Each structure stands twice: as structure tokens, then as C-alpha cells.
């Protein structure tokens, strides 16, 4: 789809045109940055191996996002789209984790990321990537 002339390489112009066709409109400067990050051997083309690395990165990120959504759904016990102190404590406790024994630890984990006491999916991801658990390490 990207290699329009089927020569086995993707040029910066082919990348730009393909992104436009997908409805992704970005500046020439951004296309250049993306292209240069993909063109590992700096030959001015993105070959099959370089494209495979990009594709794998995209797939891995998607898999991580799906895994994170599954985890969020486990914690969001009442399915209201938010994880509360109580839900966090309940799941951590059921997993046998020490953070689940003390409600104050759960409060610290959530308030480190968000002050309203409820985490939406984006905030939950931030907590799981270190924001909330780091709050416990820095306070002990």
C-alpha cells in the first residue's frame, strides 16, 4: 500500500501520499521526521526490513493497549468507566498484593495521577506505567 511504484522501497513522497490517503494529514516537516526515524540505514528509502520494524512497533503498541484495556476492565468492577479507591483496593487485595491491604495506599496511588479519586482509562494507564506505584515508593 505504501510502495506505490512496487520497487521494494518506500520514498518520503510515497509515505506522505499514503498517509494522506489514510486521512492522516501532517506537515512535510513531520513526514520528514517520521521518515528519518524509520530509515535506519539512512539510504533515503524505507526497505522491507525497516518497514517490518515499524509495523512490529505499531503491533506491539496495539497489543499493549489491548492488554491495558483488559486490566482496566478487571479493576473497573462496576463498569462505570472509572476505577475508584475501593475498586483498586479490592482487586489488589484479591491478588494478594500488600498495596491492597491499606486504603490510604490506594488513595496515594490514585491521587498521584488524578485528584478526583477516580481514574479514567488514560489515567489508569498512567498509574500502571509507574505514576501511582511510584507514589508509594516516594512516601515510604
Amino acid at each position: 500500500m505504501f510502495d506505490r511504484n512496487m520497487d521494494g522501497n518506500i520514498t518520503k513522497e510515497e509515505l506522505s501520499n499514503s498517509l494522506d490517503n489514510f486521512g492522516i494529514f501532517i506537515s512535510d516537516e513531520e513526514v520528514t521526521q517520521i521518515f528519518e526515524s524509520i530509515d535506519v540505514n539512512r539510504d533515503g528509502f524505507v526497505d522491507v526490513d525497516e518497514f517490518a520494524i515499524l509495523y512490529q512497533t505499531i503491533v506491539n503498541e496495539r497489543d499493549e493497549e489491548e492488554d491495558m484495556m483488559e486490566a482496566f476492565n478487571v479493576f473497573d468492577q462496576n463498569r462505570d468507566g472509572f476505577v475508584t479507591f475501593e475498586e483498586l483496593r479490592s482487586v489488589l487485595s484479591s491478588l494478594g498484593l500488600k498495596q491492597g491491604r491499606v486504603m490510604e495506599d490506594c488513595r496515594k496511588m490514585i491521587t498521584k495521577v488524578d485528584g478526583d479519586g477516580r481514574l479514567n482509562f488514560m489515567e489508569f494507564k498512567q498509574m500502571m506505567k509507574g505514576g501511582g506505584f511510584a507514589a508509594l515508593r516516594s512516601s515510604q
Side-chain angles (χ1 to χ4, degrees):
M1 291 179 352
F2 286 85
D3 183 14
R4 297 292 181 186
N5 65 2
M6 308 292 272
D7 67 353
N9 291 305
I10 300 169
T11 64
K12 186 168 47 170
E13 291 74 28
E14 286 174 321
L15 176 64
S16 180
N17 291 338
S18 294
L19 292 173
D20 287 348
N21 290 338
F22 286 124
I24 302 170
F25 302 105
I26 59 177
S27 70
D28 289 339
E29 184 178 290
E30 290 173 306
V31 170
T32 298
Q33 289 175 340
I34 292 168
F35 189 84
E36 289 174 356
S37 71
I38 301 168
D39 182 18
V40 178
N41 65 6
R42 305 282 183 244
D43 66 355
F45 299 98
V46 173
D47 60 32
V48 172
D49 293 332
E50 291 166 329
F51 190 79
I53 293 168
L54 171 65
Y55 179 78
Q56 192 59 50
T57 300
I58 292 168
V59 169
N60 288 343
E61 286 176 9
R62 191 184 73 224
D63 290 346
E64 180 181 312
E65 188 81 2
E66 289 172 3
D67 291 346
M68 196 65 77
M69 181 54 82
E70 286 179 29
F72 180 78
N73 289 334
V74 168
F75 281 86
D76 182 18
Q77 295 175 326
N78 66 0
R79 300 286 186 254
D80 67 351
F82 296 95
V83 174
T84 63
F85 304 130
E86 294 79 13
E87 288 170 323
L88 179 62
R89 189 196 64 71
S90 173
V91 174
L92 294 178
S93 180
S94 70
L95 293 172
L97 299 174
K98 66 179 181 171
Q99 293 88 347
R101 291 188 215 127
V102 181
M103 181 62 81
E104 187 56 33
D105 284 349
C106 295
R107 285 187 201 285
K108 286 179 187 175
M109 290 170 68
I110 288 180
T111 56
K112 171 74 175 176
V113 178
D114 182 74
D116 71 2
R118 323 178 313 156
L119 299 179
N120 63 28
F121 178 62
M122 296 302 287
E123 294 162 341
F124 177 80
K125 285 194 319 185
Q126 184 180 346
M127 182 190 74
M128 294 303 283
K129 289 183 176 182
F133 287 100
L136 296 180
R137 287 192 296 276
S138 64
S139 68
Q140 293 178 356

